[in-house]
Amino acid sequence: MLRALVLAALPLLANAEPRTCLVVSVNDGDTLTARCDGTGSHERIKVRIAAIDAPEKNQPFGQRARQALSELCLRDMAKIYRRSTDRNGQTVADVECRDQDVARHMIAGGWAWVYDGATELGDAPLYKAQDVVRDARQGLWRDPAAVAPWKWRKQQGEARKRGPAPG
């Protein structure tokens, strides 16, 4: 049993060492760009915050979510714990800014949803934080009809396929 647990944890341990990088821009409420020092160069990486999905920039609360992430991380050093790479080549990572877990900060502030398709065992507390902020109707949860970003993107894609409304 213990051997199985250790073997299961190996992939997590491989990514346990963080990179410390300067956050140079915030793209939206769940994506930032950081400059990391390499040997003799500065590497820029685009990082999607693991386990969350924030409203898109042109979606209701999208600009406020971007502002919340900017207030926490922009022009500050971040610890980036890489989990994987997404289909767009972006690093998917747990991120800490000012000694705060960014995913938890965004969820607790009401500026993001827990992204069910990208959570791991250790992300379970995010659901509890989301329940608390939703019940308190804070952040985007002030809108009882708030649409999760993955549903909103799907609706936008379907609308583009249909074309302009007849006028």
Side-chain angles (χ1 to χ4, degrees):
M1 173 87 169
L2 180 59
R3 184 170 188 253
L5 288 173
V6 170
L7 290 174
L10 284 177
L12 298 174
L13 294 175
N15 292 328
E17 193 63 36
R19 293 182 75 180
T20 301
C21 306
L22 176 67
V23 177
V24 295
S25 67
V26 172
N27 306 61
D28 57 28
D30 57 23
T31 310
L32 54 83
T33 301
R35 188 181 72 216
C36 305
D37 289 333
T39 50
S41 67
H42 294 290
E43 176 189 8
R44 288 175 83 97
I45 60 170
K46 196 168 188 180
V47 179
R48 190 164 47 86
I49 311 302
I52 67 169
D53 199 358
E56 297 296 323
K57 286 187 268 192
N58 51 350
Q59 181 180 0
F61 297 99
Q63 290 300 322
R64 183 58 188 99
R66 181 176 182 258
Q67 180 183 356
L69 182 56
S70 294
E71 289 169 358
L72 180 62
C73 295
L74 188 59
R75 292 187 286 287
D76 209 341
M77 299 305 288
K79 289 182 184 174
I80 300 172
Y81 300 82
R82 186 185 176 282
R83 283 192 187 187
S84 64
T85 302
D86 69 11
R87 66 176 186 247
N88 299 319
Q90 297 177 134
T91 298
V92 178
D94 295 307
V95 177
E96 291 178 10
C97 292
R98 298 182 191 159
D99 294 322
Q100 290 189 53
D101 178 88
V102 173
R104 181 157 175 74
H105 174 84
M106 295 301 289
I107 294 292
W111 305 119
W113 277 259
V114 177
Y115 186 51
D116 292 330
T119 56
E120 295 181 359
L121 187 61
D123 296 327
L126 293 177
Y127 288 100
K128 185 169 179 77
Q130 180 174 274
D131 290 344
V132 168
V133 73
R134 183 179 51 228
D135 292 347
R137 300 182 58 82
Q138 295 175 334
L140 61 87
W141 299 107
R142 284 179 273 186
D143 179 356
V147 177
W150 56 91
K151 291 179 182 175
W152 190 85
R153 287 188 296 269
K154 183 177 180 182
Q155 291 169 354
Q156 296 302 302
E158 291 168 356
R160 277 192 295 277
K161 286 179 188 175
R162 286 192 304 268

